[in-house]
Amino acid sequence: MLHKTIVILFLIFAQFSASAQEYTLIKDISYREKNENDAYKKERCKLDLYLPQDKPNFATIVWFHGGGLEGGEKFIPLELKEKGVAVIAVNYRLSPKVQGPAYIDDAAAAVAWAFNHIASHGGDPSKIYVSGHSAGGYLALMVGLDKAYLKQYNIDANRIKGLAPVSGQTNTHYTIKKERGQSMEIPIIDQYAPLTFARKDAPPILLITGDPKLELPARYEENAHLAAVLENLKHPNIQLYQLQGFDHGGVYAPGCLLMLNWIEKQSK
């Protein structure tokens, strides 16, 4: 069922207190094969692992940074720290040094790494969520909806516990259109659009955007379109939130808190 909800500014704050647990941060883990000869892959295909200690079978959030697929660096969102979950912050290759779908493939490789390795760090591989802001949200959707990307790493995308993009594009990404010399104003829905791969059996999906008056052009409408398509396909667990008062850059912080609340409900 589609829940189309408008959330007022303070509604999602003060719900999560800091955990008393200890946490460990392991930086710059390569998620590609160590024998890769590509220097740029070796530089960018790394992740940081933020782990709760003395908490077995914790949930994990794979987090992709924003930056339009052309910039940005991995980071652990403050709002996800000390909340009882692990966070995997991922770097990926960027345009124009590479072109699509290279960065989508990197995202898939990082998610596959999470499935293959999180148990050895105490996490539950059946509780892996994939999220990100802006371009990172786009990557989360592409990896979770187009099953081909994870299949090449022998992972079924339906094993993902949930997808939670924050202000991600659901049409073909601007940067991919830029690489191909296409119009930045006219939307395209092709093999690089999450919408193309909407399906009934996809993992649970939480779509979060900011205020339509403050967001990037049609960003809320894109997400509403995906939600409507999924609802029409009878997807059983799709939620759409519009956060009033937040612009594109500011929405990721409250979006993270909303995601934590959603994850808690998914685990019940």
Side-chain angles (χ1 to χ4, degrees), residues 23-27 48-51 53 76 81 87:
Y23 292 80
T24 298
L25 177 62
I26 307 173
K27 294 182 67 66
D48 293 346
L49 183 57
Y50 178 80
L51 298 165
Q53 300 300 298
I76 310 293
K81 290 183 177 180
V87 182

Side-chain angles (χ1 to χ4, degrees), residues 27-252:
K27 294 182 67 66
D28 292 329
I29 301 171
S30 295
Y31 59 82
R32 290 285 189 179
E33 294 295 329
K34 292 183 179 179
N35 61 357
E36 283 278 5
N37 294 321
D38 187 317
Y40 190 48
K41 275 188 180 180
K42 288 182 178 180
E43 173 193 346
R44 289 293 301 182
C45 294
K46 294 182 178 180
L47 58 82
D48 293 346
L49 183 57
Y50 178 80
L51 298 165
Q53 300 300 298
D54 303 318
K55 181 181 180 179
N57 301 316
F58 49 76
T60 300
I61 299 169
V62 180
W63 176 262
F64 296 109
H65 67 80
L69 302 176
E70 297 180 286
E73 292 290 331
K74 57 183 167 61
F75 70 102
I76 310 293
L78 177 63
E79 294 75 17
L80 300 182
K81 290 183 177 180
E82 300 183 10
K83 298 298 191 298
V85 298
V87 182
I88 297 177
V90 183
N91 265 356
Y92 47 89
R93 288 172 293 166
L94 300 169
S95 183
K97 285 190 174 182
V98 298
Q99 295 193 347
Y103 26 70
I104 306 173
D105 181 60
D106 289 347
V111 172
W113 186 96
F115 276 106
N116 292 330
H117 294 277
I118 199 62
S120 66
H121 293 280
D124 185 343
S126 72
K127 299 177 183 176
I128 292 176
Y129 296 84
V130 183
S131 182
H133 172 240
S134 192
Y138 166 79
L139 293 174
L141 284 173
M142 283 300 298
V143 168
L145 292 180
D146 184 351
K147 299 182 75 174
Y149 287 102
L150 279 172
K151 184 178 181 180
Q152 63 185 336
Y153 296 101
N154 300 312
I155 301 292
D156 183 348
N158 285 3
R159 290 177 61 191
I160 296 171
K161 183 69 171 177
L163 302 171
V166 182
S167 195
Q169 279 195 266
T170 71
N171 298 334
T172 297
H173 196 278
Y174 292 134
T175 295
I176 292 178
K177 293 194 294 180
K178 179 180 176 182
E179 290 170 355
R180 299 188 297 193
Q182 296 169 324
S183 170
M184 302 293 280
E185 286 75 31
I186 304 300
I188 293 175
I189 298 174
D190 62 11
Q191 73 270 31
Y192 298 122
L195 264 163
T196 299
F197 303 96
R199 49 193 173 81
K200 178 182 178 179
D201 66 337
I205 300 176
L206 174 68
L207 300 170
I208 302 169
T209 72
D211 193 316
K213 296 180 180 179
L214 302 173
E215 262 281 11
L216 295 179
R219 185 54 51 93
Y220 169 74
E221 289 79 5
E222 281 189 53
N223 280 260
H225 189 191
L226 176 58
V229 170
L230 288 165
E231 182 183 37
N232 186 58
L233 292 170
K234 309 301 182 185
H235 188 288
N237 193 341
I238 169 72
Q239 298 184 39
L240 170 65
Y241 284 84
Q242 175 195 112
L243 305 190
Q244 290 184 338
F246 292 95
D247 63 14
H248 181 69
V251 72
Y252 94 85

